[in-house]
Amino acid sequence: MSPIFELPSFDDLIADAVVVSLPMRVRFRGITTREALLLRGPAGWGEFAPFVEYDDEEAAHWLRAGIEAAWLGPPPAIRATVPVNATVPAIDASAVPELLERFPGSRTAKIKVAEKGQSLADDIARVNEVRRHIPNVRVDANGGWSVDEAVVALRALTEGGELEYAEQPCASVEELVRVRAAGTGVRIAADESIRRAEDPLRVVRAGGADVAIVKVPPLGGMRAVVALSTQLAEYGVPVVVSSALDTAVGMASGLAAAAALPELPFACGLGTGGLFVRDIAVVDPAISGALSVGAVEPDPSILTQLTATPERTAWWLGRVRRCHRILDQRGALNFV
């Protein structure tokens, strides 16, 4: 199928759609249950799972990504496996060893910091505990620090060892530029400043990022990630493909995008399946900290157990209809 094709009708889009509700092992991103709508098309399965607080304009990018996966399929791969990091939520340091058992073989961990209601001391304890088990650590503040707080925190966190990078230490591009110029010795990675920006390159042009965190759904698909990585390479900024707390179907798209990138210098944030009590399919575990690339077929018996309530299913179908209208107004889908 050509990378340029007409948008499937709404009826075709939802003909085999299933809304699932996945319970999580720990609170992550403020939620304990992850909902997603799975789409089936001629190329396989796709996922539509924008977080509930996102408006329809933003969520339409996620629908575009799901359509690409289910109707077009992945771009050509140049690697069969993708190294992934362990993901450590803002849990107590004492809970770290048990959680890391969910990420066998991982040599890199991303640790959530700057959680509301917690202190820098909590972050330091969590990071240092992870260091006892995994050699490479990176932190993710989700924009939770001011510039001054970020500088103090990064200097304190590096007293116990190096940080591979700090992801989105502050919310705005201007703040990221100031933190990066402060000389903490820590690479600055941009996440929200890329995936939720009208101009994903703005933060890089402004000098606010050493690394770019990219996610397939908010950028509109796998090929959009590959195209953006080519643009970022012109600025000398490497890419890390990360998860949007995807089910196994969405994760397959993230792995496919990472597999298609010419360069992949860092482990990707695509190991979050371990945060679910149960996923929609049984997938091969990571081997030596790397996941295999390939299509995922949901297990029908598992889907039956994880299907969302009729009320939540209706809510998601209404959301798909609204986002479909937005895509329809834009005309043919171009995934070149």
Side-chain angles (χ1 to χ4, degrees):
M1 185 180 291
S2 168
I4 302 177
F5 63 98
E6 293 300 318
L7 177 72
S9 71
F10 173 73
D11 288 340
D12 286 343
L13 207 59
I14 66 165
D16 296 305
V18 181
V19 178
V20 294
S21 178
L22 279 60
M24 300 177 62
R25 297 179 183 277
V26 294
R27 180 178 293 274
F28 186 80
R29 209 184 172 280
I31 61 175
T32 56
T33 302
R34 180 68 167 124
E35 293 181 337
L37 185 145
L38 305 179
L39 305 164
R40 184 164 65 177
W45 288 84
E47 179 175 304
F48 174 67
F51 295 105
V52 295
E53 68 269 22
Y54 290 2
D55 64 27
D56 291 343
E57 286 289 338
E58 186 168 2
H61 294 290
W62 297 60
L63 183 57
R64 185 180 187 274
I67 292 170
E68 179 197 30
W71 266 259
L72 183 59
I78 60 175
R79 58 182 63 82
T81 63
V82 173
V84 297
N85 63 244
T87 301
V88 181
I91 56 177
D92 189 87
S94 63
V96 164
E98 181 180 357
L99 181 131
L100 290 179
E101 292 176 1
R102 306 295 306 174
F103 303 94
S106 289
R107 295 186 56 78
T108 302
K110 181 173 81 168
I111 307 156
K112 292 291 184 179
V113 294
E115 183 84 354
K116 289 182 179 179
Q118 295 187 3
S119 67
L120 178 55
D122 296 322
D123 293 338
I124 292 171
R126 186 181 313 114
V127 170
N128 286 340
E129 179 60 29
V130 173
R131 283 189 174 114
R132 293 181 58 244
H133 305 271
I134 291 183
N136 304 318
V137 298
R138 52 182 70 156
V139 297
D140 181 6
N142 285 121
W145 288 322
S146 68
V147 172
D148 290 342
E149 288 171 337
V151 172
V152 169
L154 294 181
R155 287 175 176 162
L157 289 166
T158 51
E159 289 180 2
E162 291 186 1
L163 291 177
E164 194 171 57
Y165 58 72
E167 185 175 326
Q168 203 72 38
C170 303
S172 73
V173 169
E174 292 74 21
E175 288 173 317
L176 293 183
V177 171
R178 290 169 59 194
V179 172
R180 187 166 177 256
T184 64
V186 179
R187 295 184 188 93
I188 302 302
D191 177 7
E192 287 91 341
S193 293
I194 289 176
R195 65 181 168 87
R196 301 192 73 177
E198 290 185 11
D199 178 7
L201 293 175
R202 178 174 170 245
V203 64
V204 174
R205 294 193 188 102
D210 301 287
V211 178
I213 311 299
V214 296
K215 299 178 180 179
V216 168
L219 288 173
M222 297 169 281
R223 288 166 179 79
V225 165
V226 175
L228 179 59
S229 73
T230 300
Q231 295 176 292
L232 289 165
E234 297 176 4
Y235 293 86
V237 175
V239 160
V240 174
V241 182
S242 192
S243 161
L245 200 54
D246 310 313
T247 74
V249 165
M251 201 66 71
S253 292
L255 289 166
L261 297 178
E263 303 290 337
L264 201 63
F266 297 107
C268 289
L270 297 169
T272 54
L275 298 177
F276 297 130
V277 174
R278 197 173 192 188
D279 210 332
I280 50 88
V282 177
V283 297
D284 293 334
I287 298 176
S288 299
L291 289 172
S292 297
V293 178
V296 167
E297 184 79 15
D299 184 316
S301 63
I302 296 177
L303 281 183
T304 299
Q305 298 173 44
L306 296 176
T307 299
T309 65
E311 292 78 14
R312 294 305 299 162
T313 295
W315 186 90
W316 277 96
L317 291 175
R319 196 179 197 192
V320 170
R321 183 183 293 277
R322 297 192 304 273
C323 291
H324 182 269
R325 287 198 200 100
I326 291 172
L327 293 181
D328 191 36
Q329 292 169 0
R330 298 174 184 172
L333 297 177
N334 184 351
F335 291 105
V336 177

